[in-house]
Amino acid sequence: MRKLSTVEVVLSSPKPKPVGKLLLHLFLIIVAVIQMYPLVWLAFFSLKDNSEIFSGDVAAFPKSFLWSNYTKALSDGHVLSYFFNSVLVTVISIILVLILASMTGYAITRMNWKWSGFTMNLILLGMMVPIHAALLPLFIILKNLGLLNTYWSLIIPYVAFGIPMAVFILGSFFKGVPRELEEAAVIDGCGIYRTFFSIIMPLVRPAVSTVAIFTFLACWNELMFAVTFINNEAYQTLTVGMMSMVGTYITQWGIIGAGLMITTLPTIIIYLLLNKQVQKSMIAGAIKG
């Protein structure tokens, strides 16, 4: 067996990590712990009763796991009904935003027509309209149309406020798609709709995922429209339901914590499922910029 020289031993030995990289990893771990702590605290909070919350350390590990808080939140607190309403409104809003924004963005960025630039600027002006400024006009319009206390009283405003950002994101990705792909599809006999759904949309999946997450967060966490346009408990969403539980269960904070935990879980699950697509979208957007 050949004996390794001193130079070969030094070169083959693992190189120590730079101190800067170790400090960066340590800093990122600390940031991750800080970001995760509120979720852990909420999980512990939801498994306690009032005596343990107010008499002991509120951030401590629960002495006994009160899973009954979740049962009471789902049954007595009507969280399951609120959850269904939020899911229904959010899913329909996301579907409508993706369909309308993708077709609009494609028509503006990929088709040649006279008012395409003006139309894009007009749509993007919607990003500058604050929700509070549109609250009263929307209330009057929905009241005159007889849509108050219905699911559509939330879906229509959510879709209207979600389209400008979605058109902006999807339109920027449509611009980066090579036109040779469309020309090849047309030569092969594809029509405009087949080209759009079979060629273009699969190429912009990261942007679609980004729009879906942004729309989900905006609809799922929205309170102003939900508390103004919905007075009937049968149509109330989770945000309004959690606010009403504070009055109904003012002494049962563990049940309220359980309801908040149920409200938070879908957001975490959605992000875990689509975070890679969002990262791809961010990287692609940065490269294009």
Side-chain angles (χ1 to χ4, degrees):
M1 177 181 277
R2 187 174 68 87
K3 198 171 183 180
L4 295 176
S5 64
T6 305
V7 176
E8 290 176 330
V9 171
V10 172
L11 292 176
S12 61
S13 60
K15 295 182 179 180
K17 292 185 177 180
V19 178
K21 181 176 278 189
L22 292 176
L23 292 176
L24 177 61
H25 288 174
L26 180 62
F27 172 75
L28 293 177
I29 291 173
I30 294 174
V31 172
V33 171
I34 294 174
Q35 296 292 328
M36 290 293 295
Y37 175 74
L39 182 62
V40 176
W41 176 86
L42 180 60
F44 290 166
F45 183 88
S46 66
L47 296 172
K48 298 178 180 179
D49 56 11
N50 281 5
S51 60
E52 190 174 356
I53 290 173
F54 292 109
S55 62
D57 185 3
V58 69
F61 199 79
K63 296 178 182 177
S64 59
F65 294 93
L66 297 180
W67 297 106
S68 59
N69 287 343
Y70 287 86
T71 305
K72 293 178 181 178
L74 291 172
S75 58
D76 300 340
H78 306 291
V79 172
L80 193 59
S81 174
Y82 300 143
F83 185 86
F84 172 78
N85 293 336
S86 290
V87 170
L88 180 64
V89 169
T90 302
V91 169
I92 295 177
S93 300
I94 291 174
I95 293 174
L96 291 178
V97 167
L98 288 177
I99 293 174
L100 296 175
S102 60
M103 290 185 173
T104 303
Y106 181 77
I108 292 175
T109 58
R110 309 296 290 186
M111 298 180 180
N112 296 322
W113 49 290
K114 186 176 181 180
W115 299 101
S116 60
F118 173 79
T119 304
M120 174 64 85
N121 293 331
L122 187 63
I123 292 175
L124 294 182
L125 283 176
M127 297 172 61
M128 303 175 62
V129 179
I131 291 179
H132 301 83
L135 190 61
L136 181 59
L138 276 175
F139 181 85
I140 296 174
I141 293 172
L142 293 173
K143 181 181 180 181
N144 293 334
L145 293 175
L147 294 177
L148 291 178
N149 289 315
T150 64
Y151 293 124
W152 290 107
S153 64
L154 298 180
I155 293 173
I156 293 174
Y158 291 168
V159 172
F161 278 93
I163 284 178
M165 176 63 74
V167 170
F168 176 75
I169 295 175
L170 290 169
S172 63
F173 272 78
F174 287 146
K175 290 180 181 178
V177 177
R179 291 193 176 272
E180 289 77 10
L181 296 176
E182 292 174 287
E183 295 172 357
V186 171
I187 293 174
D188 291 339
C190 291
I192 183 65
Y193 293 104
R194 187 174 180 184
T195 302
F196 174 73
F197 288 107
S198 300
I199 306 297
I200 303 299
M201 289 305 294
L203 296 175
V204 296
R205 279 181 294 182
V208 171
S209 301
T210 303
V211 170
I213 287 183
F214 286 163
T215 307
F216 170 82
L217 293 175
C219 298
W220 191 263
N221 298 323
E222 201 279 324
L223 176 63
M224 185 64 68
F225 288 163
V227 77
T228 305
F229 301 151
I230 302 292
N231 294 324
N232 191 339
E233 187 178 350
Y235 298 99
Q236 289 180 344
T237 56
L238 274 170
T239 51
V240 182
M242 292 300 100
M243 187 175 64
S244 64
M245 283 179 66
V246 174
T248 305
Y249 300 98
I250 190 64
T251 58
Q252 301 183 40
W253 290 100
I255 296 177
I256 297 175
L260 292 174
M261 194 67 191
I262 295 172
T263 306
T264 307
L265 283 177
T267 305
I268 299 173
I269 294 173
I270 291 295
Y271 181 77
L272 290 176
L273 292 176
L274 300 178
N275 71 89
K276 291 184 179 180
Q277 296 293 335
V278 174
Q279 292 174 8
K280 292 180 182 179
S281 174
M282 299 295 183
I283 295 173
I287 293 175
K288 291 176 184 178

